[in-house]
Amino acid sequence: MITTSQTTRRPARADTMLPREEMLTALRERDRSYDGLFYAAVTTTGIFCRPSCPARDPKPDHVEFYATTREALVAGFRPCRRCRPLDPEAGTPEWASRLIARVEADPAARITDASLRAEGLDPAAVRRWFQKTHGMTFQAYCRARRLGEPAANLSGGQQQMLALARALMLAPKILLVDEPSVGLAPLLVARTIDAIKQLKDHYHLTVLMAEQNFTQAIRIADRGYVIVHGKIAFEGRSADELNNNDLIRQFYLGM
Ligand SMILES: [Zn+2]
């Protein structure tokens, strides 16, 4: 959601979004009057657009709707090069347009406070403007753009970290982690598990993790459940309790 200097619109909340059918119709008809009310992301291309975008006619099954550019970015979508949903609307200061263009030209580049100052910009003012118009600080905006870049060249470990980083940008209270050790080298498994523990402590998160690697998972778990055929076969309220349970060691861990 872009805010002009004349009006201050709060970013729309997901629970106040228009009915999906209405948004699909607006998208099909490229109805300009819906611009700014929602953004359409196409799961097959990883790109998000304004409703009026002339570029594409996606299958409804492949469309996800977001109330704000922030949510679309955080979900990992890239802005369309045709309708340019991140481009400033009327009333945007010239310096902000220039800065946004600079980020778009090279999303991977780091733009430090020092380099902002070198251009005669006040980092605090930049932060406030992005907070107000995009619902996040300038650095968070840059991070979201970096994370939205294609992840194809990343290793398994880097992709796990990227998925965690994306989840954390929404400042969750609960983090669901599904098999973080899959496809990782043994050394990286331990590191990834340690990283999850650090995130848990740092962000005061509740982490629900499904993990085959019992020995690694139990290192950081406060409580554990052994699930067999979809049912909880055993639960322990501490790592010790789980670790020292003969039944678990014998039958489920082969120790
Ligand atoms: Zn577009």
Side-chain angles (χ1 to χ4, degrees), residues 171-192:
K173 291 202 165 57
I174 297 182
L175 190 64
L176 305 178
V177 187
D178 188 18
E179 302 259 13
S181 75
V182 164
L184 298 186
L187 179 65
L188 283 177
V189 173
R191 258 195 234 160
T192 302

Side-chain angles (χ1 to χ4, degrees), residues 40 47-50 52-56 79-85:
I47 285 170
F48 74 99
C49 286
R50 300 177 198 266
S52 67
C53 180
R56 55 202 83 240
C80 170
R81 286 182 192 281
R82 186 86 182 268
C83 65
R84 310 168 73 96

Side-chain angles (χ1 to χ4, degrees), residues 92-161:
T92 298
E94 194 270 333
W95 64 261
S97 311
R98 228 174 344 121
L99 201 49
I100 288 171
R102 184 172 159 195
V103 176
E104 285 310 306
D106 182 8
R110 310 257 164 182
I111 302 179
T112 60
D113 281 1
S115 99
L116 290 175
R117 271 189 222 101
E119 285 192 30
L121 297 172
D122 171 12
V126 169
R127 190 164 55 241
R128 277 196 305 277
W129 186 85
F130 273 84
Q131 188 75 56
K132 199 176 73 184
T133 53
H134 286 291
M136 54 176 120
T137 65
F138 176 61
Q139 290 306 332
Y141 177 93
C142 292
R143 214 152 45 229
R145 284 298 293 116
R146 273 201 295 279
L147 294 177
E149 288 303 288
N153 299 329
L154 300 182
S155 70
Q158 286 169 326
Q159 289 191 18
Q160 288 284 3
M161 290 302 161

